[in-house]
Amino acid sequence: VVSLSHNDIGDEGVTMLAANGKLNEVYLNDLEIKNVNTIKALAKSSLEVLSLKSNHLTDEMIEPLAKTNILKILNLSNNDITPTGAKLLAKNTDLLQLHLNKNDLGDAGVSAFANNTTLEWLSVEDNKITQAGAFNLAKNMTLKKIEISNNPISDEGIAKLAANGNINQLGASNTQLGEKSLKTIIDNTSIKTLAIDGNDIGDKGAKKLADSEIKNLSVASNNIGKSGGIALAHDTNLKQ
């Protein structure tokens, strides 16, 4: 594992690193990569895990990564990826985990992953995704982990996602989640890890979660009072 994030190694340094056939996990965040040939070198390398957060990468620059058959985990968060880039990445049949937080995917971009059959974990936080995008993403039957926090999705949209019986981890903080989606989450016993911070579920919601089978729970900033806190404190399903 090598991390060279927040340095000034330049495109040449990254290209030389990519030529090292023994590396399989590299973190190259915030390096101001400017040349698409550098990305091509990374795409052809032996890397299975690659993080390129905060590099101002465009759709054109990430296209080589969409075509790789070696990478399994790819983090492209906080770049300049639009629905065009999302559609390219969605066609990849080898990636298992993809992080695209803080890009500009919108509903069109996230909907591209509805038909992907190989991804197990998709993270698309803060991408201006609404109910329409959530409805389409809910059609994906292979995803096990979805992180879609900080998007104006609505109660209906989260409920649609939560009804997917393949999901075991859901991140839906600050998504306008309400009673309907909370009930759907609780009814879906496959969901064991849940993060729904900033959704105003209150004591009523906390008490319902206390009776669920969820083992890992984050409910910060939800207007939960004493009675809700006590209920969660007595929840024997939560991991200690």
Side-chain angles (χ1 to χ4, degrees), residues 170-173 192-199 201 209 214-222 224 232 238:
L170 178 62
S173 298
K192 302 300 183 185
T193 298
L194 178 68
I196 53 169
D197 304 334
N199 277 299
I201 66 169
L209 286 169
I214 293 166
K215 296 185 179 299
N216 303 289
L217 179 65
S218 181
V219 286
S221 302
N222 264 289
I224 297 170
L232 289 171
L238 291 175

Side-chain angles (χ1 to χ4, degrees), residues 105-228:
L105 303 189
D107 291 331
V110 76
S111 296
F113 294 98
N115 295 320
N116 181 287
T117 58
T118 49
L119 275 176
E120 296 179 357
W121 185 345
L122 179 64
S123 187
V124 287
E125 297 180 357
D126 200 2
N127 265 287
K128 301 175 184 175
I129 299 165
T130 70
Q131 177 176 295
F135 273 25
N136 285 326
L137 185 59
K139 298 174 185 176
N140 185 300
M141 291 291 108
T142 56
L143 285 171
K144 296 178 180 178
K145 299 180 181 180
I146 296 178
E147 304 286 348
I148 201 164
S149 297
N150 303 319
N151 285 293
I153 291 175
S154 81
D155 192 26
E156 291 281 345
I158 296 300
K160 196 76 170 179
L161 282 172
N164 187 328
N166 292 299
I167 297 174
N168 58 43
Q169 179 172 317
L170 178 62
S173 298
N174 300 305
T175 54
Q176 301 173 13
L177 174 152
E179 288 189 14
K180 181 174 182 179
S181 49
L182 188 61
K183 183 180 185 304
T184 307
I185 288 168
I186 292 169
D187 289 343
N188 184 352
T189 55
S190 296
I191 298 176
K192 302 300 183 185
T193 298
L194 178 68
I196 53 169
D197 304 334
N199 277 299
D200 199 19
I201 66 169
D203 289 329
K204 184 178 179 181
K207 290 174 183 178
K208 290 179 179 179
L209 286 169
D211 291 327
S212 73
E213 296 186 29
I214 293 166
K215 296 185 179 299
N216 303 289
L217 179 65
S218 181
V219 286
S221 302
N222 264 289
N223 285 323
I224 297 170
K226 183 178 179 180
S227 62

